[in-house]
Amino acid sequence: MRWSRQLIPTLREVPQEAEIPSHQLMLRAGLIRKLGAGLYTFLPLGLRALRKVERIVREEMNRAGALEILMPALHPKEVWEQTGRYELLRDVMFKVKDRQQREMVLGPTHEEIVTDLVAHEVSSYRQLPVNLYQIQTKFRDEIRPRFGLMRAKEFIMKDGYSFDADLDGAEKSYRSMYEAYQRVFQRCGLRAKIVEADTGAMGGSSSHEFMVLADSGEDGLVECDACSYAANLERAESVLRSAPSFADAEKDPEKIATPGLRTVEEVAGFFQSPPARLIKTLIYVADGKPVAALVPGNRDVNEIKLRRALGAKALELADAATIARVTGAPVGFAGPVGLSIPLVVDAKLRGYRGAVTGANEADAHLRSVDIERDVKVTEFADISFAIEGDGCPRCAGTLRAKRGVEVGHVFKLGTKYSEQLGALYLGEDGQKRPCVMGCYGIGVTRTLQAVIEQSHDDNGIIWPATIAPAEVEVLLINEQHAASVETAGKLVEGLKNVGIEVLFDERAERPGVKFKDADLLGLPLRINVGERGLAKGSIELRARHSGETLVVPVESAVETACARLAELKRACAPGGE
Ligand code: ATP
Ligand code: MG
């Protein structure tokens, strides 16, 4: 690959549209270009890296025994109606009509389609287990497409689906995908943290997410500083090591005038107390009925947990009119004492005494509230988000809050889809049973960008050797210098002959420009061929990740580069290889 014959439109300036480093670098290094919100073109070098990620994914899926298929991206809506997800995913699905005005959707995921396939093609236990996957474009009408490939409207996913005869088999399939995912991310040079996750709209019993830790990550998670416990915030449990005790705990509730004070900060300031002394009372409407959710003032209600605790299908915050009706006060002054609707109280409020709550009256709060004595608790349940510093639910350790990018997700699905779509098999005993399913996704395009988010410096990308668009850059410092041109040409040939992918920067540009571009593009190794070195019969071999530069005799340059590259690749090999 000669740079001058390639399309590598590098940019000096940081593009305004890009907020996070990986997005900026993908644009600046000329890997992708934007067509519209959440829509990107892969330029040649970006595509080369993407194909390598795909290849790793494919190899690991095949190794684990999964079979590659390719399903349509365009679906008749009827199959989605059979599971009720035409409604559930209404906002996220792109819909189109064909010329006969038949409604169709662009697939956001493929559980329905693959289960329909298996319903028709698998009928006996002898055909199980079967694990099918594809690498394909998905469409999602995301509310906020952003961060380049991280959250796009059109993106490439590897989605896989396992079908087993029973729970034991399903557990094995899940394990094997879990392990395959670990290998995929290691081979891509990514450190991915595995966290327990919520099953959300997918249904199913349990799931794990593979998270790349990054400040720009859209997912919150906690990890224990002592054991391996880690969980997405949506799901994370935590414990309080001791019930807090506050001033005036022994007294009876007392109404205090708090004119104009509504927020936790304002009220806590007024009482000269930590926010944790307050009890927040939020009024929700769950399946049409008002309920109150109580959490400590320093925590937020986790609506996923609350919905589960209530066993509710629909849950939303009550509007101002409903709040006024059930509390008798304007928004901001709700409190649990005297409320006659069901009260779901966060487990962390057990034993709370001396707390401050709203008084169900404008401009007033109660102090010295004792949750067990003064509040008619319907149910204690874990309904709040874990926070930094909470106790680990598994050991004596402490939880740390982190942010991450979800690159992969594995789910145990159970029989929800197989029952709804008739993916039944005939057992050895002649009984028909639904297949037990698992589903497994990797955001292929997101993974590519996550690698850059995790591996870059101020000068540019630092590609892992396994997925770099090319392995070695040969940089011709002065294209007017005949001996340099000749040596560089020979080196390029020599490297190609031993199977190394070379990008040859032979442009008529100033050396400074080429050096900057080389760092920006970030191929693992660079060979600088210049007049000064050649005078002594040597070239420079520079490793992008360490910045280390070796002066190497021209004759052994290919061999040394080969050896270095092999080392860099070994660093990405899954453990023990
Ligand atoms: P998120 O919570 O980030 O919206 P999700 O849980 O909806 O993702 P899944 O349905 O589990 O995503 O999809 C599998 C994988 O596809 C995710 O782990 C992620 O890597 C990737 N992915 C999902 N949505 C997008 C998107 N809009 N753009 C790029 N990749 C995505
Ligand atoms: Mg997910």
Side-chain angles (χ1 to χ4, degrees):
M1 280 193 287
R2 299 169 85 85
W3 193 304
S4 65
R5 308 305 314 146
Q6 274 293 321
L7 179 61
I8 316 175
T10 54
L11 307 171
R12 280 289 92 81
E13 302 296 318
V14 175
Q16 273 210 332
E17 61 177 283
E19 298 161 62
I20 63 172
S22 55
H23 185 197
Q24 294 168 352
L25 288 170
M26 290 205 82
L27 291 167
R28 286 190 52 211
L31 304 178
I32 57 168
R33 282 295 180 265
K34 179 176 173 175
L35 171 66
L39 302 172
Y40 288 87
T41 296
F42 279 86
L43 296 181
L45 292 199
L47 186 63
R48 288 179 67 96
L50 179 67
R51 292 284 181 250
K52 290 190 181 180
V53 176
E54 287 180 358
R55 186 165 150 197
I56 290 173
V57 171
R58 192 170 271 124
E59 285 175 3
E60 293 302 333
M61 288 302 112
N62 294 348
R63 179 204 293 269
L67 308 173
E68 184 169 5
I69 60 174
L70 184 58
M71 293 179 269
L74 189 61
H75 311 156
K77 77 162 179 182
E78 286 73 22
V79 56
W80 285 92
E81 283 174 335
Q82 288 184 55
T83 60
R85 288 215 296 181
Y86 190 67
E87 262 308 299
L88 199 64
L89 299 181
R90 188 182 46 207
D91 294 339
V92 113
M93 284 203 284
F94 281 103
K95 297 183 186 137
V96 291
K97 283 190 182 147
D98 72 4
R99 63 175 73 213
Q100 267 111 29
Q101 299 302 307
R102 275 191 293 249
E103 290 179 63
M104 318 203 63
V105 307
L106 291 173
T109 176
H110 278 69
E111 282 78 16
E112 279 75 358
I113 314 305
V114 76
T115 311
D116 181 68
L117 175 80
V118 168
H120 287 98
E121 307 310 325
V122 171
S123 53
S124 158
Y125 72 94
R126 287 192 206 91
Q127 294 166 283
L128 297 176
V130 61
N131 189 339
L132 303 171
Y133 79 96
Q134 63 175 349
I135 296 178
Q136 194 229 26
T137 300
K138 298 280 186 269
F139 300 87
R140 294 187 184 181
D141 195 359
E142 298 281 359
I143 305 177
R144 277 191 78 188
R146 58 178 186 162
F147 300 156
L149 306 179
M150 292 293 197
R151 185 165 299 283
K153 289 190 177 178
E154 177 181 328
F155 59 96
I156 298 175
M157 195 200 286
K158 186 290 296 181
D159 47 327
Y161 309 87
S162 63
F163 297 81
D164 276 271
D166 53 28
L167 279 174
D168 270 0
E171 184 64 39
K172 281 200 192 98
S173 297
Y174 186 83
R175 264 283 130 198
S176 103
M177 286 297 106
Y178 183 106
E179 283 161 17
Y181 275 33
Q182 289 178 299
R183 296 176 59 93
V184 164
F185 295 123
Q186 278 167 20
R187 288 185 60 190
C188 290
L190 262 185
R191 293 179 303 279
K193 178 104 200 150
I194 304 175
V195 308
E196 292 181 12
D198 192 75
T199 48
M202 206 64 88
S205 57
S206 85
S207 80
H208 287 92
E209 286 169 347
F210 291 72
M211 292 275 196
V212 173
L213 298 185
D215 294 338
S216 62
E218 291 187 279
D219 283 293
L221 56 108
V222 292
E223 61 176 342
C224 177
D225 63 3
C227 76
S228 64
Y229 181 73
N232 190 311
L233 267 193
E234 291 176 349
R235 149 108 185 187
E237 300 159 30
S238 69
V239 295
L240 276 187
R241 291 285 176 236
S242 56
S245 162
F246 303 109
D248 306 325
E250 307 306 324
K251 298 189 183 154
D252 284 338
E254 182 188 357
K255 198 188 295 174
I256 306 286
T258 53
L261 307 181
R262 284 163 194 266
T263 67
V264 168
E265 289 69 33
E266 286 165 358
V267 178
F270 176 84
F271 286 96
Q272 298 187 324
S273 302
R277 185 181 175 193
L278 271 64
I279 293 178
K280 285 201 271 199
T281 305
L282 287 107
I283 311 298
Y284 280 89
V285 177
D287 293 337
K289 297 201 188 76
V291 296
L294 272 61
V295 295
N298 59 337
R299 290 172 196 270
D300 290 319
V301 173
N302 178 332
E303 295 183 357
I304 294 171
K305 289 182 177 176
L306 177 60
R307 188 199 314 259
R308 192 169 301 136
L310 290 164
K313 279 209 168 65
L315 181 76
E316 55 180 5
L317 274 170
D319 57 21
T322 309
I323 294 173
R325 183 162 52 78
V326 299
T327 69
V331 176
F333 297 96
V337 179
L339 271 194
S340 56
I341 56 174
L343 300 182
V344 184
V345 180
D346 188 46
K348 294 202 169 55
L349 288 173
R350 250 184 234 279
Y352 244 61
R353 304 165 71 209
V356 170
T357 73
N360 296 323
E361 191 179 308
D363 296 333
H365 281 79
L366 292 185
R367 77 166 167 212
S368 304
V369 174
D370 180 325
I371 205 92
E372 324 259 350
R373 181 191 64 193
D374 305 320
V375 176
K376 268 207 268 161
V377 176
T378 310
E379 179 190 359
F380 279 108
D382 175 11
I383 57 164
S384 65
F385 283 105
I387 56 177
E388 168 93 17
D390 278 354
C392 173
R394 302 284 155 79
C395 77
T398 301
L399 298 182
R400 299 285 164 227
K402 296 276 160 66
R403 303 209 63 79
V405 177
E406 176 196 322
V407 286
H409 201 163
V410 292
F411 281 95
K412 290 181 196 168
L413 277 182
T415 55
K416 178 173 168 235
Y417 294 93
S418 46
E419 280 172 28
Q420 285 171 327
L421 292 155
L424 310 177
Y425 71 94
L426 209 53
E428 225 172 330
D429 56 3
Q431 294 280 317
K432 268 197 175 174
R433 291 190 194 85
C435 296
V436 186
M437 290 175 60
C439 76
Y440 317 98
I442 291 180
V444 177
T445 39
R446 185 186 282 183
T447 295
L448 178 67
Q449 191 175 320
V451 168
I452 298 175
E453 190 67 24
Q454 194 172 68
S455 184
H456 67 268
D457 63 16
D458 289 345
N459 299 321
I461 301 170
I462 302 174
W463 282 108
T466 45
I467 64 165
E471 293 164 325
V472 177
E473 174 171 333
V474 173
L475 191 155
L476 177 61
I477 293 175
N478 176 1
E479 74 292 341
Q480 305 289 337
H481 181 244
S484 296
V485 174
E486 198 196 324
T487 306
K490 280 194 183 143
L491 276 176
V492 170
E493 282 312 304
L495 290 164
K496 284 207 298 211
N497 287 341
V498 292
I500 289 179
E501 301 165 355
V502 191
L503 174 63
F504 184 21
D505 190 354
E506 29 59 293
R507 289 175 298 170
E509 285 283 357
R510 281 180 293 116
V513 170
K514 296 191 199 179
F515 290 141
K516 274 214 160 57
D517 275 346
D519 277 344
L520 177 58
L521 186 56
L523 301 188
L525 292 177
R526 187 215 306 175
I527 295 177
N528 296 329
V529 182
E531 206 169 335
R532 223 176 307 153
L534 285 188
K536 291 181 236 138
S538 61
I539 51 89
E540 278 177 1
L541 179 66
R542 188 178 157 85
R544 177 67 179 91
H545 75 288
S546 62
E548 183 197 4
T549 304
L550 296 178
V551 176
V552 181
V554 173
E555 311 80 65
S556 55
V558 171
E559 199 184 325
T560 313
C562 256
R564 282 285 147 137
L565 201 58
E567 257 170 54
L568 292 173
K569 286 190 173 170
R570 270 198 300 278
C572 301
E577 285 184 23

